[in-house]
Amino acid sequence: MKTDDTTVAAIEIRDLHKSFGKNEVLKGIDFHVDQGEVVCVIGPSGSGKSTLLRCVNRLEEPDSGQVVVEGIDITDPETDLDQVRTRIGIVFQQFNLFPHMTVLKNLVVSQRKVLKRSKAQAVEVARKNLAKVGLEGKEDAYPAHLSGGQQQRVAIARALSMDPDMMLFDEPTSALDPELVGDVLEVMRKLADEGMTMMVVTHEMGFAREVGDKLVFMDDGVIVEEGDPAEMLANPQHERTQAFLSKVL
């Protein structure tokens, strides 16, 4: 979907810089995700992919530049950051579930605290989203009794239970055994089919090719190349992209 004057981009990043000490990790990034678009971000370790994603909801504090989410500049000190964050679901490499809580409680607690939903309503939403990720019947299980793939699907269901406008995925399958990856990618594929706006940092090139609307290759803190996933994977234009893809495809 192309942005025009009447359509506000879901995520707009302008001249974003971020350093850790003397290490400049993001070197003036310009980036956008349209409403309903699935953008996959690839690149070698240390290229700045995860830092870029974490700047989208200011889990990392940019040094300079703008991050605009649905028309709201979240780098403006006046912005109610917590309010904007309720629109942005995020799923990490590690599942970050509360180990002492059942699956159901993991999904209910933020709804109750942040969205102020009644217990009955929060439970209803949680059960609906567990069904969506194929985990009906696991409500009373504890995270330690689930496989990594099941835990990651619980993490996705938890994010969805907050009714976000968009989802950020930070290498959601990289901590999983290979045979568990498919179930998680299938859930993400369904979300994309439903029109969820998604920014996905990933090593899964097949997913990027099949599901992504746009592919972005990052290296050394800059966006080197971006374009149609199938075209870019088949015929990368930049020599850095060619070198990277020759190692991973």
Side-chain angles (χ1 to χ4, degrees):
M1 186 194 298
K2 290 283 179 283
T3 309
D4 59 35
D5 292 338
T6 59
T7 310
V8 177
I11 302 164
E12 184 86 46
I13 288 175
R14 302 169 188 151
D15 195 26
L16 195 72
H17 290 260
K18 174 66 181 174
S19 296
F20 296 104
K22 292 183 178 174
N23 181 23
E24 193 179 10
V25 180
L26 299 177
K27 302 174 180 176
I29 296 284
D30 291 292
F31 177 89
H32 80 274
V33 180
D34 288 339
Q35 302 279 356
E37 193 175 38
V38 178
V39 176
C40 294
V41 183
I42 62 171
S45 289
S47 58
K49 311 181 298 293
S50 292
T51 301
L52 173 62
L53 181 129
R54 291 167 71 88
C55 283
V56 170
N57 69 350
R58 272 183 54 199
L59 281 174
E60 293 291 357
E61 200 63 50
D63 297 330
S64 64
Q66 277 184 305
V67 180
V68 181
V69 174
E70 296 180 327
I72 299 168
D73 181 358
I74 67 166
T75 40
D76 181 341
E78 301 294 308
T79 296
D80 183 345
L81 186 57
D82 290 336
Q83 181 60 40
V84 179
R85 278 178 172 158
T86 63
R87 307 178 184 191
I88 309 169
I90 186 162
V91 176
F92 299 96
Q93 188 172 342
Q94 302 299 338
F95 324 120
N96 293 358
L97 300 175
F98 296 116
H100 61 289
M101 290 185 184
T102 64
V103 164
L104 190 66
K105 278 197 175 158
N106 264 285
L107 269 66
V108 163
V109 63
S110 291
Q111 294 186 64
R112 300 272 282 138
K113 279 190 174 167
V114 179
L115 301 181
K116 309 298 183 196
R117 284 180 177 154
S118 69
K119 185 176 179 187
Q121 188 186 8
V123 166
E124 183 184 345
V125 170
R127 289 185 186 279
K128 178 190 80 176
N129 283 303
L130 285 171
K132 185 178 248 184
V133 301
L135 290 174
E136 317 91 317
K138 295 290 185 185
E139 290 87 350
D140 297 327
Y142 285 87
H145 300 145
L146 302 175
S147 72
Q150 288 173 325
Q151 289 186 62
Q152 192 60 295
R153 285 186 281 151
V154 171
I156 293 171
R158 178 176 62 180
L160 292 174
S161 293
M162 301 298 286
D163 293 336
D165 294 346
M166 65 194 73
M167 290 284 286
L168 311 179
F169 292 90
D170 189 5
E171 303 196 18
T173 59
S174 62
L176 302 180
D177 292 333
E179 70 269 20
L180 303 176
V181 167
D183 290 340
V184 173
L185 293 180
E186 185 55 36
V187 168
M188 293 168 65
R189 199 174 270 117
K190 281 183 190 162
L191 286 177
D193 288 344
E194 290 169 8
M196 176 63 80
T197 304
M198 292 161 62
M199 177 178 171
V200 186
V201 173
T202 186
H203 294 296
E204 301 292 339
M205 299 300 159
F207 177 86
R209 183 189 292 110
E210 293 160 32
V211 182
D213 296 305
K214 183 165 72 180
L215 186 63
V216 173
F217 172 66
M218 285 185 70
D219 191 23
D220 196 28
V222 298
I223 292 175
V224 176
E225 186 171 345
E226 59 182 281
D228 175 80
E231 283 177 25
M232 210 167 121
L233 290 170
N235 187 25
Q237 298 302 300
H238 198 288
E239 60 187 37
R240 282 155 86 185
T241 320
Q242 293 165 6
F244 174 76
L245 291 174
S246 72
K247 290 176 186 154
V248 298
L249 289 178

